[in-house]
Amino acid sequence: MMLTVTTITLLVVMAMALSRAFVGPTVFDRILAANVFGTKTVLLIAVVGFLFGRPEFLDIALVYALINFIGVVGMLRLIEYLEEDKQSTEDGR
């Protein structure tokens, strides 16, 4: 019963994060929402693995967490690079 409530709560929070990712006023809000969505996905994979008695799901969750972290850092670096490039072209005019 408690794990079912946890799963439903995680799905609701994931839906809220997706709505923030699509509506977010700034690009940083969208990236933060994507990071929250990824973190909640890791938790959901772990809970589902526990529900079905599949401990190997924890390995999948850890790999997904690493991919999520690298993806968010990569996106932030890309945005930083694009902002610097935009700034340098505006200064060159």
Side-chain angles (χ1 to χ4, degrees):
M1 175 65 181
M2 191 64 176
L3 288 175
T4 306
V5 172
T6 303
T7 304
I8 291 170
T9 305
L10 281 172
L11 290 173
V12 168
V13 171
M14 289 170 73
M16 291 168 58
L18 273 180
S19 69
R20 174 53 68 186
F22 288 122
V23 178
T26 66
V27 69
F28 297 110
D29 289 329
R30 291 183 171 125
I31 290 175
L32 181 63
N35 190 17
V36 168
F37 184 82
T39 303
K40 298 311 171 200
T41 302
V42 169
L43 291 173
L44 184 65
I45 291 170
V47 169
V48 168
F50 185 78
L51 280 174
F52 292 124
R54 306 283 305 261
E56 61 271 7
F57 276 29
L58 289 178
D59 296 334
I60 296 169
L62 285 173
V63 170
Y64 189 84
L66 289 172
I67 291 170
N68 182 41
F69 174 73
I70 292 169
V72 168
V73 170
M75 286 299 298
L76 289 173
R77 294 280 180 159
L78 176 66
I79 290 169
E80 180 183 34
Y81 173 76
L82 293 176
E83 289 292 321
E84 286 176 2
D85 188 43
K86 180 181 170 185
Q87 193 69 280
S88 66
T89 56
E90 288 176 358
D91 291 341
R93 289 185 179 177

Coordinates of all heavy atoms in Angstrom, one line a residue:
M1 N 0.8 -1.2 0.0 CA 0.0 0.0 0.0 C 0.9 1.3 0.0 O 0.7 2.2 -0.8 CB -0.9 0.0 1.2 CG -1.8 1.2 1.4 SD -2.9 1.4 0.1 CE -3.7 2.9 0.5
M2 N 1.9 1.3 0.9 CA 2.7 2.5 1.0 C 3.6 2.7 -0.3 O 3.8 3.8 -0.7 CB 3.6 2.3 2.2 CG 4.4 3.6 2.6 SD 3.2 4.8 3.1 CE 4.2 6.1 3.5
L3 N 4.0 1.6 -0.9 CA 4.8 1.7 -2.1 C 3.9 2.2 -3.3 O 4.4 2.9 -4.2 CB 5.5 0.4 -2.4 CG 6.7 0.1 -1.5 CD1 7.2 -1.3 -1.9 CD2 7.8 1.1 -1.6
T4 N 2.7 1.8 -3.2 CA 1.7 2.3 -4.3 C 1.5 3.8 -4.2 O 1.6 4.5 -5.2 CB 0.4 1.6 -4.2 OG1 0.6 0.2 -4.2 CG2 -0.5 2.0 -5.3
V5 N 1.4 4.3 -2.9 CA 1.2 5.7 -2.7 C 2.5 6.5 -3.1 O 2.5 7.5 -3.7 CB 0.9 6.0 -1.2 CG1 0.9 7.5 -0.9 CG2 -0.5 5.4 -0.9
T6 N 3.6 5.9 -2.8 CA 4.9 6.5 -3.2 C 5.0 6.5 -4.7 O 5.5 7.6 -5.3 CB 6.1 5.6 -2.6 OG1 5.9 5.6 -1.2 CG2 7.4 6.2 -3.0
T7 N 4.6 5.5 -5.4 CA 4.7 5.5 -6.9 C 3.8 6.5 -7.5 O 4.2 7.3 -8.4 CB 4.3 4.1 -7.4 OG1 5.2 3.1 -6.8 CG2 4.5 4.0 -8.9
I8 N 2.6 6.6 -7.0 CA 1.6 7.6 -7.5 C 2.2 9.0 -7.2 O 2.1 9.9 -8.1 CB 0.2 7.4 -6.8 CG1 -0.3 6.1 -7.4 CG2 -0.7 8.6 -7.1 CD1 -1.6 5.7 -6.7
T9 N 2.7 9.3 -6.0 CA 3.3 10.6 -5.7 C 4.4 10.9 -6.6 O 4.5 12.1 -7.1 CB 3.7 10.6 -4.2 OG1 2.7 10.2 -3.4 CG2 4.3 12.0 -3.8
L10 N 5.3 10.0 -6.9 CA 6.4 10.2 -7.8 C 5.9 10.6 -9.2 O 6.4 11.5 -9.9 CB 7.3 9.0 -7.9 CG 8.3 8.8 -6.7 CD1 9.0 7.4 -6.9 CD2 9.3 9.9 -6.7
L11 N 4.9 9.9 -9.6 CA 4.3 10.2 -11.0 C 3.7 11.6 -11.0 O 3.8 12.3 -12.0 CB 3.3 9.1 -11.4 CG 3.8 7.7 -11.7 CD1 2.7 6.7 -11.9 CD2 4.7 7.8 -12.9
V12 N 3.1 12.0 -9.9 CA 2.5 13.4 -9.9 C 3.6 14.4 -9.9 O 3.5 15.4 -10.6 CB 1.6 13.5 -8.6 CG1 1.2 15.0 -8.4 CG2 0.4 12.7 -8.7
V13 N 4.6 14.2 -9.1 CA 5.8 15.1 -9.1 C 6.5 15.2 -10.5 O 6.9 16.2 -10.9 CB 6.8 14.8 -8.0 CG1 8.0 15.6 -8.1 CG2 6.1 15.0 -6.6
M14 N 6.6 14.0 -11.1 CA 7.2 14.0 -12.5 C 6.3 14.8 -13.5 O 6.8 15.5 -14.3 CB 7.3 12.5 -12.9 CG 8.4 11.8 -12.2 SD 8.5 10.0 -12.5 CE 9.1 10.0 -14.2
A15 N 5.0 14.7 -13.3 CA 4.1 15.5 -14.2 C 4.3 17.0 -14.0 O 4.3 17.8 -14.9 CB 2.7 15.0 -14.0
M16 N 4.4 17.3 -12.7 CA 4.6 18.7 -12.4 C 6.0 19.2 -12.9 O 6.1 20.4 -13.4 CB 4.6 18.9 -10.8 CG 3.2 18.7 -10.3 SD 3.2 18.6 -8.4 CE 3.9 20.2 -8.0
A17 N 7.0 18.4 -12.9 CA 8.3 18.8 -13.4 C 8.2 18.9 -14.9 O 8.8 19.8 -15.5 CB 9.4 17.8 -13.0
L18 N 7.5 18.1 -15.6 CA 7.3 18.2 -17.0 C 6.6 19.5 -17.4 O 6.9 20.1 -18.4 CB 6.6 17.0 -17.6 CG 7.4 15.8 -17.9 CD1 6.5 14.7 -18.5 CD2 8.4 16.1 -19.0
S19 N 5.6 19.8 -16.6 CA 4.9 21.0 -16.9 C 5.8 22.3 -16.7 O 5.7 23.2 -17.5 CB 3.6 21.2 -16.0 OG 4.0 21.4 -14.7
R20 N 6.7 22.2 -15.7 CA 7.6 23.3 -15.6 C 8.6 23.3 -16.7 O 9.1 24.4 -17.1 CB 8.3 23.2 -14.2 CG 9.4 24.2 -13.9 CD 9.0 25.6 -14.2 NE 8.1 26.0 -13.2 CZ 7.5 27.2 -13.2 NH1 7.8 28.1 -14.1 NH2 6.6 27.6 -12.3
A21 N 9.0 22.2 -17.2 CA 10.0 22.1 -18.3 C 9.4 22.7 -19.5 O 10.1 23.3 -20.3 CB 10.4 20.7 -18.5
F22 N 8.1 22.6 -19.8 CA 7.5 23.1 -21.0 C 7.1 24.6 -20.8 O 7.1 25.3 -21.8 CB 6.3 22.3 -21.4 CG 6.6 21.0 -21.9 CD1 6.1 19.8 -21.4 CD2 7.4 20.8 -23.1 CE1 6.4 18.6 -21.9 CE2 7.7 19.6 -23.6 CZ 7.2 18.5 -23.0
V23 N 6.8 25.0 -19.6 CA 6.3 26.4 -19.4 C 7.3 27.3 -18.8 O 7.2 28.5 -19.0 CB 5.0 26.3 -18.4 CG1 4.5 27.7 -18.1 CG2 4.0 25.4 -19.0
G24 N 8.4 26.7 -18.2 CA 9.4 27.5 -17.5 C 9.7 28.8 -18.2 O 10.0 28.8 -19.4
P25 N 9.8 29.9 -17.5 CA 10.0 31.2 -18.2 C 11.5 31.4 -18.7 O 11.7 32.0 -19.6 CB 9.7 32.3 -17.1 CG 9.8 31.5 -15.8 CD 9.5 30.1 -16.1
T26 N 12.4 30.7 -18.0 CA 13.8 30.8 -18.5 C 14.3 29.4 -18.8 O 13.8 28.4 -18.4 CB 14.7 31.4 -17.4 OG1 14.8 30.5 -16.3 CG2 14.2 32.8 -16.9
V27 N 15.4 29.4 -19.5 CA 16.0 28.1 -19.9 C 16.6 27.4 -18.7 O 16.6 26.2 -18.6 CB 17.1 28.4 -21.0 CG1 18.3 29.1 -20.4 CG2 17.6 27.1 -21.6
F28 N 17.0 28.1 -17.6 CA 17.5 27.5 -16.4 C 16.4 26.8 -15.7 O 16.6 25.7 -15.0 CB 18.2 28.5 -15.6 CG 19.4 29.0 -16.3 CD1 19.5 30.3 -16.7 CD2 20.5 28.2 -16.5 CE1 20.6 30.9 -17.3 CE2 21.6 28.7 -17.2 CZ 21.7 30.0 -17.6
D29 N 15.1 27.4 -15.7 CA 14.0 26.7 -15.1 C 13.7 25.4 -15.8 O 13.4 24.4 -15.2 CB 12.7 27.6 -15.2 CG 12.8 28.7 -14.2 OD1 13.4 28.6 -13.2 OD2 12.2 29.8 -14.5
R30 N 13.8 25.4 -17.1 CA 13.6 24.2 -17.9 C 14.6 23.1 -17.6 O 14.3 21.9 -17.5 CB 13.6 24.5 -19.4 CG 12.4 25.4 -19.7 CD 12.3 25.7 -21.2 NE 11.0 26.3 -21.5 CZ 10.9 27.4 -22.1 NH1 11.9 28.1 -22.5 NH2 9.7 27.9 -22.3
I31 N 15.9 23.5 -17.5 CA 16.9 22.5 -17.2 C 16.8 22.0 -15.8 O 17.0 20.8 -15.6 CB 18.3 23.2 -17.4 CG1 18.6 23.4 -18.9 CG2 19.4 22.3 -16.8 CD1 19.8 24.2 -19.2
L32 N 16.5 22.8 -14.9 CA 16.2 22.4 -13.5 C 15.1 21.4 -13.4 O 15.1 20.3 -12.8 CB 16.0 23.5 -12.6 CG 15.7 23.2 -11.1 CD1 17.0 22.5 -10.5 CD2 15.3 24.4 -10.3
A33 N 14.0 21.7 -14.2 CA 12.8 20.8 -14.2 C 13.2 19.4 -14.9 O 12.8 18.4 -14.4 CB 11.7 21.4 -15.0
A34 N 14.1 19.5 -15.9 CA 14.5 18.2 -16.5 C 15.4 17.4 -15.5 O 15.3 16.2 -15.5 CB 15.3 18.5 -17.8
N35 N 16.2 18.1 -14.7 CA 17.0 17.4 -13.7 C 16.1 16.8 -12.7 O 16.3 15.7 -12.2 CB 18.0 18.4 -13.1 CG 19.0 17.7 -12.3 OD1 19.2 16.5 -12.3 ND2 19.7 18.5 -11.4
V36 N 15.1 17.5 -12.2 CA 14.2 17.0 -11.2 C 13.4 15.8 -11.8 O 13.3 14.8 -11.1 CB 13.1 18.1 -10.8 CG1 12.0 17.5 -10.0 CG2 13.8 19.1 -10.0
F37 N 13.0 15.9 -13.1 CA 12.3 14.7 -13.7 C 13.3 13.5 -13.8 O 12.8 12.4 -13.5 CB 11.9 15.1 -15.1 CG 11.1 14.0 -15.8 CD1 9.8 13.9 -15.6 CD2 11.7 13.2 -16.7 CE1 9.1 12.9 -16.2 CE2 11.0 12.2 -17.3 CZ 9.7 12.0 -17.1
G38 N 14.5 13.7 -14.1 CA 15.5 12.6 -14.1 C 15.7 12.0 -12.8 O 15.8 10.8 -12.6
T39 N 15.8 12.9 -11.7 CA 16.0 12.3 -10.4 C 14.8 11.5 -9.9 O 14.9 10.5 -9.3 CB 16.2 13.5 -9.4 OG1 17.3 14.3 -9.9 CG2 16.5 13.0 -8.0
K40 N 13.6 12.0 -10.2 CA 12.4 11.3 -9.8 C 12.3 10.0 -10.6 O 11.7 9.0 -10.1 CB 11.1 12.1 -10.0 CG 11.1 13.4 -9.2 CD 11.5 13.1 -7.7 CE 11.6 14.4 -7.0 NZ 12.4 14.2 -5.7
T41 N 12.8 10.0 -11.9 CA 12.8 8.8 -12.6 C 13.7 7.7 -12.0 O 13.3 6.5 -12.0 CB 13.2 9.0 -14.1 OG1 12.4 10.0 -14.7 CG2 13.2 7.8 -14.9
V42 N 14.8 8.1 -11.5 CA 15.7 7.2 -10.8 C 15.0 6.6 -9.6 O 15.0 5.4 -9.3 CB 17.0 7.9 -10.3 CG1 17.8 7.1 -9.4 CG2 17.8 8.3 -11.6
L43 N 14.3 7.4 -8.8 CA 13.5 6.9 -7.7 C 12.4 6.0 -8.1 O 12.2 5.0 -7.5 CB 12.9 8.1 -6.9 CG 13.9 9.0 -6.1 CD1 13.2 10.2 -5.6 CD2 14.6 8.2 -5.1
L44 N 11.7 6.3 -9.2 CA 10.7 5.5 -9.7 C 11.2 4.1 -10.1 O 10.6 3.1 -9.8 CB 9.9 6.1 -10.8 CG 8.7 5.4 -11.4 CD1 7.6 5.3 -10.3 CD2 8.2 6.1 -12.6
I45 N 12.3 4.1 -10.8 CA 12.9 2.8 -11.2 C 13.3 2.0 -10.0 O 13.1 0.8 -9.9 CB 14.2 3.1 -12.1 CG1 13.8 3.6 -13.4 CG2 15.0 1.8 -12.3 CD1 14.9 4.2 -14.3
A46 N 13.8 2.6 -8.9 CA 14.2 1.9 -7.7 C 12.9 1.3 -7.0 O 12.9 0.2 -6.6 CB 14.9 2.8 -6.8
V47 N 11.9 2.1 -7.0 CA 10.6 1.7 -6.3 C 10.0 0.5 -7.1 O 9.6 -0.5 -6.5 CB 9.6 2.8 -6.1 CG1 8.3 2.3 -5.7 CG2 10.2 3.8 -5.1
V48 N 10.0 0.6 -8.4 CA 9.4 -0.4 -9.3 C 10.2 -1.7 -9.1 O 9.7 -2.8 -9.0 CB 9.3 0.0 -10.7 CG1 9.0 -1.1 -11.7 CG2 8.2 1.1 -10.9
G49 N 11.6 -1.5 -9.1 CA 12.4 -2.7 -8.8 C 12.1 -3.4 -7.5 O 12.1 -4.6 -7.4
F50 N 11.9 -2.6 -6.5 CA 11.6 -3.2 -5.2 C 10.2 -3.8 -5.2 O 10.0 -4.9 -4.6 CB 11.6 -2.1 -4.1 CG 11.4 -2.6 -2.7 CD1 12.4 -3.2 -2.1 CD2 10.1 -2.5 -2.1 CE1 12.2 -3.7 -0.8 CE2 9.9 -3.0 -0.8 CZ 11.0 -3.6 -0.2
L51 N 9.2 -3.2 -5.9 CA 7.9 -3.8 -6.0 C 7.9 -5.2 -6.7 O 7.2 -6.1 -6.2 CB 6.9 -2.8 -6.7 CG 6.4 -1.7 -6.0 CD1 5.6 -0.8 -6.9 CD2 5.5 -2.2 -4.8
F52 N 8.7 -5.3 -7.7 CA 8.7 -6.5 -8.5 C 9.8 -7.5 -8.0 O 10.0 -8.5 -8.6 CB 8.8 -6.2 -10.0 CG 7.6 -5.6 -10.6 CD1 7.8 -4.4 -11.2 CD2 6.4 -6.1 -10.5 CE1 6.7 -3.8 -11.8 CE2 5.3 -5.5 -11.0 CZ 5.4 -4.3 -11.7
G53 N 10.5 -7.1 -7.0 CA 11.6 -8.0 -6.5 C 12.7 -8.2 -7.4 O 13.3 -9.3 -7.5
R54 N 13.1 -7.1 -8.1 CA 14.2 -7.1 -9.1 C 15.3 -6.2 -8.6 O 15.3 -5.0 -9.0 CB 13.7 -6.7 -10.5 CG 12.5 -7.4 -11.0 CD 12.8 -8.8 -11.6 NE 13.8 -8.8 -12.6 CZ 13.6 -8.8 -13.9 NH1 12.4 -8.9 -14.3 NH2 14.6 -8.8 -14.7
P55 N 16.2 -6.7 -7.9 CA 17.3 -5.8 -7.4 C 18.2 -5.2 -8.4 O 18.9 -4.2 -8.2 CB 18.1 -6.7 -6.4 CG 17.7 -8.1 -6.7 CD 16.4 -8.0 -7.4
E56 N 18.2 -5.9 -9.6 CA 19.1 -5.3 -10.7 C 18.6 -4.0 -11.2 O 19.3 -3.3 -12.0 CB 19.2 -6.4 -11.8 CG 18.0 -6.8 -12.5 CD 17.3 -8.0 -11.9 OE1 17.7 -8.4 -10.8 OE2 16.3 -8.4 -12.4
F57 N 17.3 -3.6 -10.9 CA 16.8 -2.3 -11.3 C 17.6 -1.2 -10.7 O 17.7 -0.1 -11.2 CB 15.3 -2.2 -11.0 CG 14.4 -2.8 -12.0 CD1 14.8 -3.8 -12.8 CD2 13.1 -2.3 -12.2 CE1 13.9 -4.4 -13.7 CE2 12.3 -2.8 -13.1 CZ 12.7 -3.8 -13.9
L58 N 18.2 -1.5 -9.5 CA 19.0 -0.4 -8.9 C 20.2 -0.1 -9.7 O 20.7 1.1 -9.8 CB 19.5 -0.9 -7.5 CG 18.4 -0.9 -6.4 CD1 18.9 -1.4 -5.1 CD2 17.7 0.4 -6.2
D59 N 20.8 -1.1 -10.4 CA 21.9 -0.8 -11.3 C 21.5 0.1 -12.4 O 22.2 1.0 -12.8 CB 22.5 -2.1 -11.8 CG 23.1 -3.0 -10.8 OD1 23.5 -2.4 -9.7 OD2 23.2 -4.2 -11.0
I60 N 20.3 -0.2 -13.0 CA 19.8 0.6 -14.1 C 19.5 2.0 -13.6 O 19.8 3.0 -14.3 CB 18.5 0.0 -14.6 CG1 18.8 -1.4 -15.2 CG2 17.8 0.9 -15.6 CD1 17.6 -2.2 -15.5
A61 N 19.0 2.1 -12.3 CA 18.7 3.5 -11.8 C 20.0 4.2 -11.6 O 20.1 5.5 -11.9 CB 18.0 3.3 -10.4
L62 N 21.1 3.6 -11.2 CA 22.4 4.3 -11.0 C 22.9 4.7 -12.3 O 23.5 5.9 -12.5 CB 23.4 3.4 -10.3 CG 23.2 3.2 -8.8 CD1 24.1 2.1 -8.3 CD2 23.4 4.5 -8.1
V63 N 22.8 3.9 -13.4 CA 23.3 4.3 -14.7 C 22.5 5.5 -15.2 O 23.0 6.4 -15.8 CB 23.3 3.1 -15.7 CG1 23.5 3.6 -17.1 CG2 24.3 2.1 -15.3
Y64 N 21.2 5.4 -15.0 CA 20.3 6.5 -15.4 C 20.7 7.8 -14.7 O 20.7 8.9 -15.3 CB 18.9 6.2 -15.2 CG 17.9 7.2 -15.9 CD1 17.6 7.1 -17.2 CD2 17.4 8.2 -15.1 CE1 16.8 8.0 -17.8 CE2 16.6 9.1 -15.7 CZ 16.3 9.0 -17.0 OH 15.5 10.0 -17.6
A65 N 21.0 7.7 -13.4 CA 21.4 8.9 -12.6 C 22.7 9.5 -13.2 O 22.8 10.7 -13.3 CB 21.6 8.5 -11.1
L66 N 23.6 8.7 -13.5 CA 24.9 9.2 -14.1 C 24.6 9.9 -15.5 O 25.2 10.9 -15.7 CB 25.9 8.1 -14.3 CG 26.5 7.6 -13.0 CD1 27.3 6.3 -13.2 CD2 27.3 8.6 -12.3
I67 N 23.8 9.3 -16.3 CA 23.5 9.8 -17.6 C 22.7 11.2 -17.4 O 23.0 12.2 -18.1 CB 22.6 8.9 -18.4 CG1 23.5 7.7 -18.8 CG2 22.0 9.5 -19.6 CD1 22.7 6.5 -19.5
N68 N 21.8 11.2 -16.4 CA 21.1 12.5 -16.1 C 22.1 13.6 -15.7 O 22.0 14.7 -16.2 CB 20.1 12.2 -15.1 CG 19.2 13.4 -14.7 OD1 18.8 14.1 -15.6 ND2 19.0 13.6 -13.5
F69 N 23.0 13.2 -14.8 CA 24.0 14.2 -14.3 C 24.8 14.7 -15.5 O 25.0 16.0 -15.6 CB 24.8 13.6 -13.2 CG 25.9 14.5 -12.8 CD1 25.7 15.6 -12.0 CD2 27.2 14.3 -13.1 CE1 26.7 16.5 -11.6 CE2 28.3 15.1 -12.7 CZ 28.0 16.2 -12.0
I70 N 25.4 13.8 -16.3 CA 26.2 14.3 -17.4 C 25.4 15.1 -18.4 O 25.9 16.1 -18.9 CB 26.9 13.0 -18.0 CG1 27.9 12.4 -17.1 CG2 27.6 13.4 -19.4 CD1 28.4 11.0 -17.5
G71 N 24.2 14.7 -18.7 CA 23.4 15.4 -19.6 C 23.1 16.9 -19.1 O 23.1 17.8 -19.9
V72 N 22.8 17.0 -17.9 CA 22.5 18.4 -17.3 C 23.7 19.2 -17.3 O 23.7 20.4 -17.7 CB 21.9 18.3 -15.9 CG1 21.9 19.6 -15.2 CG2 20.5 17.7 -15.9
V73 N 24.9 18.7 -16.9 CA 26.1 19.4 -17.0 C 26.5 19.8 -18.4 O 26.9 21.0 -18.7 CB 27.3 18.7 -16.3 CG1 28.6 19.3 -16.6 CG2 27.0 18.5 -14.8
G74 N 26.3 18.9 -19.3 CA 26.5 19.2 -20.8 C 25.6 20.3 -21.3 O 26.1 21.2 -22.0
M75 N 24.4 20.2 -20.9 CA 23.4 21.3 -21.4 C 23.8 22.7 -20.8 O 23.8 23.7 -21.5 CB 22.0 21.0 -21.0 CG 21.4 19.9 -21.9 SD 21.3 20.3 -23.6 CE 20.3 21.7 -23.6
L76 N 24.2 22.7 -19.5 CA 24.6 24.0 -18.9 C 25.9 24.5 -19.6 O 26.0 25.7 -19.8 CB 24.8 23.8 -17.4 CG 23.5 23.6 -16.6 CD1 23.8 23.2 -15.2 CD2 22.6 24.8 -16.7
R77 N 26.8 23.6 -19.9 CA 28.0 24.1 -20.6 C 27.7 24.6 -22.0 O 28.2 25.6 -22.4 CB 29.0 22.9 -20.7 CG 29.6 22.4 -19.5 CD 30.7 23.3 -19.0 NE 31.2 22.8 -17.7 CZ 32.3 23.1 -17.3 NH1 33.1 23.9 -17.9 NH2 32.7 22.6 -16.1
L78 N 26.8 24.0 -22.7 CA 26.4 24.4 -24.0 C 25.7 25.8 -23.9 O 26.0 26.7 -24.7 CB 25.4 23.4 -24.7 CG 24.8 23.8 -26.0 CD1 25.9 23.9 -27.1 CD2 23.7 22.9 -26.4
I79 N 24.8 26.0 -23.0 CA 24.2 27.3 -22.8 C 25.2 28.4 -22.4 O 25.2 29.5 -22.9 CB 23.1 27.2 -21.7 CG1 21.9 26.4 -22.3 CG2 22.6 28.6 -21.3 CD1 20.9 26.0 -21.3
E80 N 26.2 28.0 -21.6 CA 27.2 29.0 -21.2 C 28.0 29.3 -22.5 O 28.3 30.5 -22.7 CB 28.1 28.3 -20.2 CG 29.3 29.2 -19.7 CD 30.2 28.5 -18.7 OE1 30.4 27.3 -18.8 OE2 30.7 29.2 -17.8
Y81 N 28.3 28.4 -23.3 CA 29.1 28.6 -24.5 C 28.3 29.5 -25.5 O 28.8 30.5 -26.0 CB 29.5 27.3 -25.2 CG 30.1 27.5 -26.5 CD1 31.4 27.9 -26.7 CD2 29.4 27.3 -27.7 CE1 32.0 28.1 -27.9 CE2 29.9 27.4 -28.9 CZ 31.3 27.8 -29.0 OH 31.8 28.0 -30.3
L82 N 27.0 29.2 -25.6 CA 26.2 30.0 -26.5 C 26.0 31.4 -26.0 O 26.0 32.4 -26.8 CB 24.8 29.3 -26.7 CG 24.8 28.0 -27.5 CD1 23.5 27.4 -27.5 CD2 25.4 28.2 -28.9
E83 N 25.9 31.6 -24.7 CA 25.8 33.0 -24.2 C 27.0 33.8 -24.4 O 27.0 34.9 -24.7 CB 25.4 32.9 -22.7 CG 24.0 32.4 -22.4 CD 23.0 33.4 -22.8 OE1 23.2 34.6 -22.7 OE2 21.9 33.0 -23.3
E84 N 28.2 33.1 -24.2 CA 29.5 33.8 -24.4 C 29.6 34.2 -25.9 O 30.1 35.3 -26.2 CB 30.6 32.9 -24.0 CG 30.8 32.8 -22.5 CD 31.9 31.8 -22.1 OE1 32.6 31.2 -23.1 OE2 32.1 31.6 -20.9
D85 N 29.2 33.3 -26.8 CA 29.3 33.5 -28.2 C 28.4 34.7 -28.6 O 28.7 35.6 -29.4 CB 29.0 32.3 -29.0 CG 29.2 32.4 -30.5 OD1 30.3 33.0 -30.8 OD2 28.4 32.0 -31.3
K86 N 27.2 34.7 -28.0 CA 26.2 35.8 -28.3 C 26.8 37.1 -27.8 O 26.7 38.1 -28.4 CB 24.9 35.4 -27.6 CG 23.8 36.5 -27.8 CD 22.5 36.0 -27.1 CE 21.5 37.1 -27.0 NZ 20.4 36.7 -26.3
Q87 N 27.4 37.1 -26.6 CA 27.9 38.3 -26.0 C 29.1 38.8 -26.9 O 29.2 40.0 -27.0 CB 28.4 38.0 -24.6 CG 28.7 39.2 -23.8 CD 27.4 40.0 -23.4 OE1 26.9 40.7 -24.3 NE2 26.9 39.8 -22.2
S88 N 29.9 37.9 -27.4 CA 31.1 38.4 -28.1 C 30.6 39.0 -29.5 O 31.3 39.9 -30.0 CB 32.1 37.2 -28.3 OG 31.5 36.2 -29.1
T89 N 29.6 38.4 -30.1 CA 29.1 39.0 -31.4 C 28.4 40.3 -31.1 O 28.5 41.2 -32.0 CB 28.2 38.0 -32.1 OG1 27.1 37.7 -31.2 CG2 28.9 36.8 -32.5
E90 N 27.8 40.5 -30.0 CA 27.2 41.8 -29.7 C 28.2 42.9 -29.4 O 28.1 44.0 -29.8 CB 26.2 41.7 -28.6 CG 24.9 41.0 -28.9 CD 24.0 40.8 -27.7 OE1 24.4 41.2 -26.6 OE2 22.9 40.2 -27.9
D91 N 29.3 42.5 -28.8 CA 30.4 43.4 -28.5 C 31.2 43.8 -29.7 O 31.7 44.9 -29.8 CB 31.3 42.8 -27.4 CG 30.7 42.7 -26.1 OD1 29.7 43.4 -25.9 OD2 31.2 41.9 -25.2
G92 N 31.2 42.9 -30.7 CA 32.0 43.1 -31.9 C 31.3 44.1 -32.9 O 32.0 44.6 -33.8
R93 N 30.1 44.4 -32.7 CA 29.4 45.3 -33.6 C 29.8 46.7 -33.4 O 30.0 47.5 -32.8 CB 27.9 45.2 -33.4 CG 27.4 43.9 -34.0 CD 25.9 43.8 -33.9 NE 25.5 42.5 -34.4 CZ 24.2 42.1 -34.4 NH1 23.3 42.9 -34.0 NH2 23.9 41.0 -34.9

